[in-house]
């Protein structure tokens, strides 16, 4: 029987890694990820989890160690945040481009300067092109469920790419919520036997293979295309893994998006991460007042859910995209991606920027955002440059 | 395949006892007279194929040849420039959990990857005493990128970023590693391949972090004819510039080849080493004198370490 415990997002990560029977852990502490590495250390040292813990001197080394472990076929895990992810970046790309199946939790935190330990999504989104599957979690239950599913997805022979699960700093990482923890035996049955993976390759002196050597242009593009094929297959594998997970736990994750009351909506807001909860509340509130609004939560940013987005957004009066990140000189990163995904579909798209550096995004903020979209739709006005929500001194 | 027999201390081996199997394959992309290829070949014969290689960016990523072929007869993980020690630690951890802990994990890295960009990662692996063999083949510059200085480039040597000669001395990597108190540190030279093989085998018989610093005279970067690699390597040792020793569980041991050099009269003049290399062609008298002082202080330190080790062994 599954049991419910009150867990922070970070502990949900650690419990999920333990349930997944990870075999090699290598990580380096950074606020607000630290309690993940501490909890895992406790699991390993108490003997509850039979894994090797490589206590490295940096995140660059943490990912290198995970890559090395994955190259033997072992199940590897790490977690980081913000500056840790940026310091690790060279190896994050190495893992993605080299097709190393492993899983990493990233507690999203703003980059400095100025120093901040609070949430922002630029750290993760700076790695959206690195060949990683990227999930954003809305709550701690999703955190736990996604980490477990990630091992099934990354080790699937149709995928064999690393997976990142993003959770918001503090809002999830340090907030306690009830989390249902599945039975170990169910997860043992759900996931492949740890260490049984042979693809895409393993280091074996009896069958020597050189991974990653110099590649001339005549072969290079095909190697890149393999990754794209994996990403495309991942769309289906993610849905299959989420459906099977539902059969075991009753919690189904059988879509790359969550469609919250979008069906008959005129106005749809696209969003990721923890603040989707508030956005849903705003939808309910406004629905009661007669506004036909809905929320479209992207569960994956890579692979990007083109089809769902186009299906759900076509025929709407106005689309909003809420970004907890910024690309200076352009606007919100997801706004950019959603706009390109919806090209050819005649629908105006307005960007909103908010929650940077952990600034609260409240229920009222979302009500305000939806009302702006309704007003723009009613007046038939063209989208404006991204609107910064809650910016002091600006109306 | 089976591991090599032996593994005892003070092994003396003959070239005939080495396997005829080759783990560096013909047709590889090294320059003529390449020291790295001598080292890689001897490494293969020392461990007889029961190992995996971790290689950061360096000449040896070129020597391995382009995809879809490889000139290495053992599994290779290529990894980012600064990341080889930690990648090796991860491989070892993976092998151990999978019950394959008997496979040796060998980092094969250049002096730049070791002494410069990979230093933090190397120090981390040493402090953790990860069970890996780390070999730095030291050609005393960044050769892959076209002969730029590294912190292992010797004093007065020309490189493309020290065109009037380097003004600092070579970083003493083996001693930095010894300061980490790892179980085994050794220096070696491609000019003494059997000594290198013995040291690799000794490293393989020890659990924990092993560091071997392999002096590797590079005809392309040092500007000498490609048939003189061994000669230049021997002169480095015979002039006292590159002493061969081991630090086995803290005990310093001068290699037999170098024992006579404790007496400075047995050392060849540094000029003999300098004059056959284009990289020193513009060395001044003062610079030469400075190099002589450097050798002197190196050997004074060695004498002290021998004394210290004698004391710690019980004063015999
Ligand atoms: C992060 C990073 N910076 C720079 C480089 C470029 N680079 C590749 S090999 C190399 C020098 C390697 O020197 P060394 O380690 O001494 O090996 P060698 O080429 O001499 O064998 C440099 C600077 C790189 N690959 N990665
Ligand atoms: S530059 Fe020197 S070390 Fe590099 S391949 Fe050529 S000879 Fe070997
Ligand atoms: Mg070099």
């Amino acid at each position: 029987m599954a049991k419910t415990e009150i867990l922070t997002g970070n502990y949900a990560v650690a419990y999920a890694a333990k349930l997944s029977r990870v075999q090699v852990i290598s990580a380096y502490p950074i606020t607000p990820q630290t309690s993940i590495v501490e909890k895992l250390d406790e699991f390993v040292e108490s003997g509850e989890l039979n894994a090797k813990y490589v206590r490295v001197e940096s995140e660059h080394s943490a990912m290198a160690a995970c890559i090395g472990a994955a190259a033997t076929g072992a199940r590897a895990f790490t977690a980081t945040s913000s500056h840790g992810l940026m310091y690790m970046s060279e190896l994050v790309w190495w893992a993605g481009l080299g097709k190393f199946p492993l899983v990493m939790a990233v507690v999203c935190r703003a980059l400095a300067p100025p120093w901040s330990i609070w949430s922002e999504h630029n750290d993760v989104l700076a790695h959206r092109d690195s060949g990683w599957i990227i999930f954003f979690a809305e709550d701690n239950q999703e955190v736990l469920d996604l980490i477990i599913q990630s091992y099934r997805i990354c080790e699937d022979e149709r995928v064999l790419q690393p997976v990142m699960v993003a959770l918001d700093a503090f809002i999830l990482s340090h907030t306690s919520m009830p989390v249902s923890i599945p039975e170990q035996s169910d997860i043992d049955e759900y996931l492949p036997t740890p260490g049984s993976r042979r693809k895409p390759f393993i280091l074996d002196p009896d069958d020597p293979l050189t991974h990653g050597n110099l590649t001339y242009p005549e072969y290079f593009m095909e190697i890149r295309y393999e990754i794209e094929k994996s990403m495309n297959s991942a769309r289906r594998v993610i849905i299959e893994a989420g459906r099977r997970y539902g059969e075991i736990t009753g919690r189904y994750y059988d879509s790359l998006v969550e469609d919250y009351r979008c069906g008959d909506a005129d106005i749809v807001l696209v969003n990721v991460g923890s603040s989707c909860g508030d956005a849903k509340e705003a939808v309910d509130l406004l629905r009661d007042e007669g506004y036909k609004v809905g929320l479209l939560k992207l569960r994956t940013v890579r692979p990007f859910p083109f089809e769902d987005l186009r299906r759900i957004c076509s025929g709407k009066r106005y689309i909003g995209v809420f970004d907890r990140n910024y690309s200076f000189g352009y606007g919100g990163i997801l706004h950019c991606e959603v706009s390109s995904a919806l090209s050819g579909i005649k629908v105006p798209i307005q960007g909103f920027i908010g929650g940077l550096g952990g600034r609260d995004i409240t229920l009222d903020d979302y009500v305000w955002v939806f009302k702006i979209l309704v007003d723009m739709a009613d007046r038939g006005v063209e989208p404006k440059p991204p609107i910064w929500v809650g910016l002091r001194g600006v109306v | 395949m089976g591991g090599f027999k032996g593994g005892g201390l003070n092994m003396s081996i003959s070239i005939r006892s080495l396997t005829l199997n080759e783990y560096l394959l013909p047709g590889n992309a090294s320059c003529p007279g390449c020291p790295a290829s001598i080292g890689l070949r001897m490494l293969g014969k020392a461990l007889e194929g029961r190992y995996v290689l971790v290689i950061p960016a360096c000449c040896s990523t070129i020597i391995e040849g382009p995809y879809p072929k490889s000139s290495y007869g053992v599994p290779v993980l290529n990894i980012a420039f600064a990341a080889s020690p930690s990648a090796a630690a991860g491989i070892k951890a993976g092998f151990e959990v999978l019950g394959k802990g008997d496979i040796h994990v060998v980092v094969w890295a250049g002096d730049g990857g070791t002494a410069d960009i990979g230093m933090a990662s190397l120090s981390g692996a040493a402090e953790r005493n990860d069970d890996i063999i780390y070999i730095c083949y030291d050609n005393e510059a960044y050769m892959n990128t076209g002969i730029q200085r590294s912190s292992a480039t010797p004093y007065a040597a020309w490189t493309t970023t020290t065109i009037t000669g380097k003004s600092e001395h070579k970083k003493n990597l083996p001693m930095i590693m010894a300061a980490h108190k790892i179980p085994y540190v050794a220096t070696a030279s491609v000019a003494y391949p059997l000594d290198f093989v013995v040291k690799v085998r000794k490293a393989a018989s020890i659990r924990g972090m092993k560091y071997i610093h392999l002096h590797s005279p590079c005809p392309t970067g040092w500007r000498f004819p490609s048939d003189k690699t061994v000669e230049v390597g021997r002169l480095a040792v015979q002039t006292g510039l590159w002493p061969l020793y081991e630090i086995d569980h803290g005990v310093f041991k001068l290699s037999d080849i170098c024992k006579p050099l404790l007496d400075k009269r047995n050392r060849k003049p540094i000029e003999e080493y300098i004059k056959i290399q284009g990289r020193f062609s513009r060395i001044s008298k003062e610079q030469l004198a400075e190099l002589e002082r450097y050798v002197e202080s190196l050997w004074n330190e060695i004498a002290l370490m021998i004394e210290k080790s004698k004391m710690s062994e019980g004063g015999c």
Side-chain angles (χ1 to χ4, degrees), chain B residues 21 35 56 69 84 94 124 127 152 164 173 194 212 221 265 282 299:
Chain B
N21 291 342
K69 298 192 175 167
S84 48
E127 184 266 337
T164 57
L173 248 286
L194 291 182
I212 301 177
R265 288 168 302 185
R282 294 214 248 151
W299 282 87

Side-chain angles (χ1 to χ4, degrees), chain B residues 229-262:
Chain B
T229 305
V230 171
E231 195 175 313
V232 173
R234 290 202 167 173
L235 281 168
V237 172
Q238 290 159 352
T239 53
L241 269 163
W242 188 250
L244 303 181
Y245 58 82
E246 294 166 282
I247 303 174
D248 187 353
H249 295 88
V251 179
F252 183 92
K253 197 171 148 265
L254 195 59
S255 302
D256 289 345
I257 303 157
C258 284
K259 281 191 177 143
L261 304 183
L262 269 171

Side-chain angles (χ1 to χ4, degrees), chain B residues 29-36 59 63 137 139 143-144 218-221:
Chain B
S30 60
C31 311
C34 172
C59 274
I63 297 171
Y137 71 97
N139 54 20
M143 296 311 175
N144 173 297
C218 161
T220 310

Side-chain angles (χ1 to χ4, degrees), chain B residues 36-144:
Chain B
S37 64
I38 301 175
L40 282 164
R41 183 160 179 248
M42 287 301 146
L43 170 67
K45 289 183 186 288
L47 297 180
E48 296 185 358
R50 277 314 279 178
Y51 62 104
V52 302
L53 275 179
V54 180
I55 304 184
C58 60
C59 274
S60 300
T61 48
I62 307 301
I63 297 171
E64 75 190 352
Y67 177 89
K69 298 192 175 167
S70 173
S71 64
Y72 298 150
V74 292
V76 180
L77 181 72
N78 284 282
I79 197 73
F81 200 13
S84 48
S86 32
I91 293 173
K92 193 69 194 194
F95 279 156
E96 279 172 0
V97 286
L98 298 175
K100 301 176 181 174
D102 60 314
I103 304 172
H104 295 295
V105 182
V106 180
V107 174
W108 179 263
D111 48 297
T114 306
D116 296 339
I117 201 165
M119 192 77 219
S121 172
L122 176 61
S123 176
E127 184 266 337
R128 290 188 305 270
N129 199 22
D130 288 326
D131 187 22
I132 60 176
I133 302 173
Y134 190 106
I135 302 174
C136 168
Y137 71 97
D138 180 6
N139 54 20
E140 302 191 325
Y142 300 169
M143 296 311 175
N144 173 297

